[in-house]
Amino acid sequence: MEQVRKRKKQKLTGLYFVMPSLIGVAIFTLLPSLDVFIRSFQSAISREFVGLENYVEVFGNTAFKLATQNTIKFVSICIPLLLVLSLLIAVILNKFVEESQILRTAFLIPMAVPIASVVLIWNIVFHEQGVLSGVLDKFQIGSQDWMSTGFSFWILVFSYIWKNLGYNIILWLAGLNAISKEVYESARVDGAGEFTCFTKITLPCLKPTLYTVAVLSLLNSFKVFREAYLVAGDYPDKSMYLLQHLFNNWFREMSFGKMAAASVLWLL
């Protein structure tokens, strides 16, 4: 009986330590999420029950369709590209560069650059009278405001990868350093080549790191709205009109019912 009590006490001890976090998540995340779900079936001001009216309005909204399409396109392109590129660079650094502390610091510099400075660089380079247009004029190619064309989407992709690449490289390097070198030595003794070691040892051992890097990359992809908003405002070129623009505009118009319905749809 005493051993059973000790086991129960040990289980409850862990629960006691987690309880403050659970209470915080319940108050600041779960309850607001429940309120958003309820609001999606209510009117914006009076909060009267309107059924699926908000959902019908959202599905028929062309701006929502455009923002959803662009956001999915952005995430589908950026996340795989960032994961693969950062992993390759991390593997090269880990294998061929013994003293890579300076390089690691250099890769993290973009994260320390303020958003306002990034936007200023964008304006200097991609403005109609900016650096890029000046270079193209020398080759008798017409200048244009690049942030008002379809190229703006790919500029946004480049900005996201440039800013988050170094942080992902550091995470990959931490995962690579956690793999025992004896495992690689044993595999090479058995005749395994570099490709076999990478596919059979490195990649399986990096699965926990992959989860962390993928989740953080996904979360950071929703923060790229700041650059796009500061450069082009509420209504940028349609190629980079993201969900954040849509929600920002709806919030200004106090369209809480549509915001709630769109949030629930994206959660699903």
Side-chain angles (χ1 to χ4, degrees):
M1 289 293 294
E2 188 175 351
Q3 292 180 351
V4 174
R5 290 178 181 177
K6 287 183 178 180
R7 291 178 181 175
K8 289 183 178 180
K9 189 175 181 180
Q10 289 176 352
K11 292 181 179 179
L12 291 176
T13 301
L15 182 61
Y16 293 150
F17 277 106
V18 177
M19 189 62 69
S21 296
L22 290 177
I23 294 174
V25 170
I27 294 175
F28 297 107
T29 302
L30 298 181
L31 291 179
S33 299
L34 179 61
D35 182 64
V36 169
F37 179 74
I38 295 174
R39 277 182 177 271
S40 67
F41 299 99
Q42 297 175 335
S43 61
I45 306 301
S46 63
R47 300 199 66 170
E48 297 178 356
F49 181 76
V50 294
L52 298 177
E53 181 179 326
N54 291 324
Y55 290 93
V56 173
E57 191 172 355
V58 167
F59 274 117
N61 191 294
T62 55
F64 176 75
K65 296 178 181 178
L66 176 63
T68 301
Q69 179 182 350
N70 288 339
T71 303
I72 293 176
K73 179 182 176 182
F74 181 81
V75 173
S76 301
I77 292 175
C78 286
I79 301 301
L81 191 60
L82 179 62
L83 292 179
V84 173
L85 188 60
S86 60
L87 176 59
L88 291 177
I89 296 176
V91 170
I92 293 172
L93 286 177
N94 189 63
K95 184 173 181 60
F96 298 106
V97 183
E98 295 181 359
E99 299 296 333
S100 59
Q101 295 296 331
I102 297 178
L103 286 175
R104 295 181 186 185
T105 304
F107 278 119
L108 288 176
I109 288 177
M111 295 199 67
V113 177
I115 298 300
S117 300
V118 176
V119 172
L120 179 61
I121 295 173
W122 280 25
N123 289 327
I124 292 174
V125 176
F126 299 110
H127 191 266
E128 186 176 1
Q129 298 178 349
V131 176
L132 182 58
S133 295
V135 173
L136 294 178
D137 280 339
K138 294 183 179 181
F139 297 94
Q140 297 182 349
I141 300 176
S143 61
Q144 57 181 321
D145 185 3
W146 298 95
M147 296 307 300
S148 299
T149 65
F151 289 101
S152 59
F153 176 82
W154 299 105
I155 296 172
L156 199 64
V157 170
F158 172 78
S159 175
Y160 167 78
I161 294 176
W162 169 77
K163 194 168 184 63
N164 295 279
L165 182 64
Y167 183 59
N168 283 13
I169 290 174
I170 300 302
L171 295 177
W172 284 124
L173 285 172
L176 289 170
N177 291 329
I179 303 175
S180 176
K181 294 182 179 180
E182 285 76 9
V183 178
Y184 289 105
E185 293 175 357
S186 300
R188 292 190 180 95
V189 169
D190 292 336
E194 292 296 330
F195 182 78
T196 303
C197 289
F198 179 75
T199 55
K200 301 298 183 181
I201 299 176
T202 304
L203 290 182
C205 292
L206 287 177
K207 285 182 179 179
T209 307
L210 172 62
Y211 174 77
T212 303
V213 174
V215 171
L216 292 176
S217 299
L218 180 63
L219 295 178
N220 289 330
S221 68
F222 288 98
K223 298 178 182 179
V224 77
F225 160 74
R226 297 173 297 179
E227 292 91 329
Y229 180 78
L230 290 175
V231 171
D234 295 324
Y235 299 97
D237 182 77
K238 65 178 183 179
S239 65
M240 66 171 186
Y241 185 77
L242 305 175
L243 277 172
Q244 294 93 329
H245 291 96
L246 181 69
F247 282 121
N248 184 68
N249 296 335
W250 279 352
F251 184 81
R252 188 181 62 252
E253 298 168 1
M254 299 185 69
S255 302
F256 299 126
K258 291 193 291 185
M259 288 178 61
S263 299
V264 172
L265 290 174
W266 259 90
L267 176 62
L268 294 177

